[in-house]
Amino acid sequence: MAIESRERPQRTPQGERTRAMRTRLLDATIDCLVERGWSGTTTTLVSERAGVSRGAQLHHFPTKQALVVDAVEYIATKRRTELEAAAEHLPARRRTRAVLEILSEQFTSPVFLAALELWVAARTDETLRDAVGPLEQRIGRETHRQTVTLLGVDDSDGGARELVQATLDLLRGLGLAATLADDSRRRKRILDTWAKTLDDTIGAAS
Amino acid sequence: MAIESRERPQRTPQGERTRAMRTRLLDATIDCLVERGWSGTTTTLVSERAGVSRGAQLHHFPTKQALVVDAVEYIATKRRTELEAAAEHLPARRRTRAVLEILSEQFTSPVFLAALELWVAARTDETLRDAVGPLEQRIGRETHRQTVTLLGVDDSDGGARELVQATLDLLRGLGLAATLADDSRRRKRILDTWAKTLDDTIGAAS
């Protein structure tokens, strides 16, 4: 171990183990939020699920709040990386519809469900809101920028900026609707129509 | 009392007291959901808040589930009545924008917040989902029909039906965004643009 440490001073096995443990804890937090909701998520459950001792978990994340704030950052990074990867495989034809599909998958994914639990809990929990609110605003701006790039629109145009924002709010609303019933066929028809409307209105690259 | 009873056999004072008590309990349920969220809402808290004895509350609503299922119906009736009342005062000019404003007020109201708490709780609570899910689907169809009428569009047209649905999903998404931060200026700009898009696309009465 000492030899390995000297060979890779920036990534010691100890450092890697710590990173891996943190990732396991954050993944377990998201799983718990998705399956049990905010009120059913406890730090004990998360450490059990992650296979991490309570002591180690408390060392890295002393409170549930610390755990979920890092989980929000972790979720945001995951979403951004997934979007970037998906963007590399966009078709030249019907590009707008393909972008809406990728975004829609994000807004109906487990990661969205975990974020939804946090948003709703934060509404009636001031401490959580103070931590999650500013983070969500930053993430919202990032997602907006990424969407503008993916759609290939000029959002300095009057109205284009608002239609990109409306697209993300529409997807959020569709994501919320999808939590109560499987309405994927309805969602597909709505996105077909919206892609056409976007292309006709702000000349998103089709 | 006996005389009054004979004079108004359908609306006895006893019957009116019962109705008034149920209304107080349902209003208190909504208030609790808005202020404390689903997990902070208990039947004890609701009966205290309504000024109704535990015994009387348990007689009308034996469980939290019974209380919230009736609260969803109550919320739906309130929303429908408010929409109908608002519809009578729509301006002839910029009608689409006025309709969006009325709907947006509903999707950011305390009644929306109470419903949001129930939706999110129902996601991880099968019994609640079985009760709330079908009810929400019926309410969704009713709201769609009302919106079609308010906008004055022909939704048998290709695309018009989907754009009306998209409008309601957009409003739901904007309502969810509004729970974390006051973004009323952003919402106003989006709705201005959306109204124009609807008028240009499906010729909603402007």
Side-chain angles (χ1 to χ4, degrees):
Chain A
M1 287 223 317
I3 290 167
E4 248 187 88
S5 255
R6 273 199 300 274
E7 284 175 352
R8 298 188 297 173
Q10 297 302 310
R11 291 178 72 85
T12 63
Q14 180 57 40
E16 276 173 26
R17 273 203 298 279
T18 301
R19 266 187 298 275
M21 185 189 290
R22 287 179 66 97
T23 303
R24 280 213 306 282
L25 283 167
L26 295 174
D27 278 326
T29 304
I30 294 173
D31 290 347
C32 274
L33 286 170
V34 171
E35 286 172 26
R36 312 251 185 152
W38 165 258
S39 60
T41 296
T42 62
T43 52
T44 312
L45 207 64
V46 167
S47 62
E48 276 173 20
R49 184 157 196 143
V52 168
S53 74
R54 279 289 279 166
Q57 182 242 296
L58 287 169
H59 174 70
H60 290 293
F61 304 103
T63 61
K64 181 174 173 180
Q65 168 110 358
L67 198 54
V68 299
V69 167
D70 265 41
V72 172
E73 281 275 9
Y74 180 67
I75 284 173
T77 307
K78 270 199 151 182
R79 290 208 298 210
R80 193 171 51 236
T81 313
E82 281 171 20
L83 261 191
E84 280 165 3
E88 290 179 11
H89 303 285
L90 279 175
R93 285 197 60 234
R94 301 194 73 216
R95 175 180 167 125
T96 303
R97 183 62 184 83
V99 170
L100 293 185
E101 192 61 30
I102 292 167
L103 289 168
S104 173
E105 277 162 19
Q106 290 215 327
F107 278 92
T108 51
S109 70
V111 155
F112 170 77
L113 297 178
L116 177 63
E117 290 291 335
L118 294 179
W119 290 333
V120 172
R123 195 184 66 76
T124 50
D125 180 332
E126 202 174 343
T127 321
L128 186 61
R129 190 167 66 242
D130 287 348
V132 169
L135 212 54
E136 279 299 334
Q137 292 207 312
R138 203 199 71 211
I139 295 165
R141 283 193 296 270
E142 279 178 13
T143 309
H144 180 88
R145 271 197 297 272
Q146 271 193 303
T147 307
V148 166
T149 306
L150 288 174
L151 288 173
V153 296
D154 175 6
D155 83 331
S156 63
D157 264 16
R161 182 178 174 74
E162 281 72 28
L163 283 179
V164 172
Q165 289 194 353
T167 300
L168 293 169
D169 284 299
L170 166 65
L171 289 162
R172 189 183 302 115
L174 287 170
L176 180 54
T179 63
L180 268 194
D182 174 17
D183 62 347
S184 48
R185 286 176 59 194
R186 182 185 83 93
R187 190 165 61 248
K188 188 186 165 305
R189 284 199 310 272
I190 290 176
L191 295 180
D192 286 345
T193 304
W194 186 242
K196 190 176 174 317
T197 309
L198 276 181
D199 286 339
D200 291 349
T201 315
I202 54 176
S206 60
Chain B
M1 286 224 317
I3 290 166
E4 249 187 86
S5 255
R6 274 199 299 275
E7 283 176 353
R8 297 187 299 171
Q10 297 301 312
R11 292 179 72 84
T12 62
Q14 179 57 40
E16 276 173 27
R17 272 202 299 277
T18 301
R19 265 188 298 277
M21 186 190 290
R22 288 180 65 98
T23 303
R24 279 212 307 282
L25 283 166
L26 295 173
D27 278 327
T29 304
I30 295 173
D31 289 347
C32 274
L33 286 169
V34 171
E35 285 171 26
R36 312 253 185 149
W38 166 258
S39 60
T41 297
T42 62
T43 52
T44 312
L45 208 62
V46 168
S47 62
E48 277 173 18
R49 184 155 195 147
V52 169
S53 75
R54 277 291 279 165
Q57 183 242 295
L58 287 169
H59 173 71
H60 290 293
F61 304 103
T63 62
K64 181 174 173 180
Q65 168 109 357
L67 199 54
V68 298
V69 167
D70 265 42
V72 172
E73 281 275 9
Y74 180 67
I75 285 173
T77 307
K78 268 198 153 180
R79 290 207 299 212
R80 195 171 50 235
T81 313
E82 280 171 20
L83 261 191
E84 281 166 3
E88 291 180 10
H89 303 285
L90 280 174
R93 287 197 59 234
R94 301 194 74 217
R95 177 180 165 126
T96 303
R97 184 63 184 83
V99 170
L100 293 184
E101 192 61 31
I102 292 167
L103 289 168
S104 172
E105 278 163 19
Q106 289 215 326
F107 278 92
T108 50
S109 70
V111 156
F112 170 78
L113 298 177
L116 177 63
E117 290 291 334
L118 294 179
W119 291 332
V120 172
R123 195 183 68 75
T124 51
D125 180 331
E126 203 175 341
T127 320
L128 186 61
R129 191 167 64 243
D130 288 347
V132 169
L135 212 55
E136 278 299 335
Q137 292 206 315
R138 202 198 71 209
I139 294 165
R141 284 193 296 270
E142 279 177 12
T143 310
H144 179 87
R145 270 197 298 273
Q146 272 194 302
T147 308
V148 166
T149 307
L150 288 176
L151 288 174
V153 296
D154 175 6
D155 82 332
S156 63
D157 265 16
R161 183 180 172 74
E162 281 70 28
L163 282 179
V164 172
Q165 288 193 352
T167 301
L168 293 170
D169 285 298
L170 166 69
L171 289 163
R172 190 183 302 114
L174 287 170
L176 180 54
T179 64
L180 269 193
D182 175 17
D183 62 348
S184 49
R185 285 177 60 195
R186 182 185 84 93
R187 191 164 61 247
K188 188 188 167 302
R189 283 199 311 271
I190 290 176
L191 294 180
D192 287 345
T193 307
W194 191 269
K196 190 176 175 317
T197 308
L198 279 183
D199 286 339
D200 291 349
T201 316
I202 53 176
S206 60

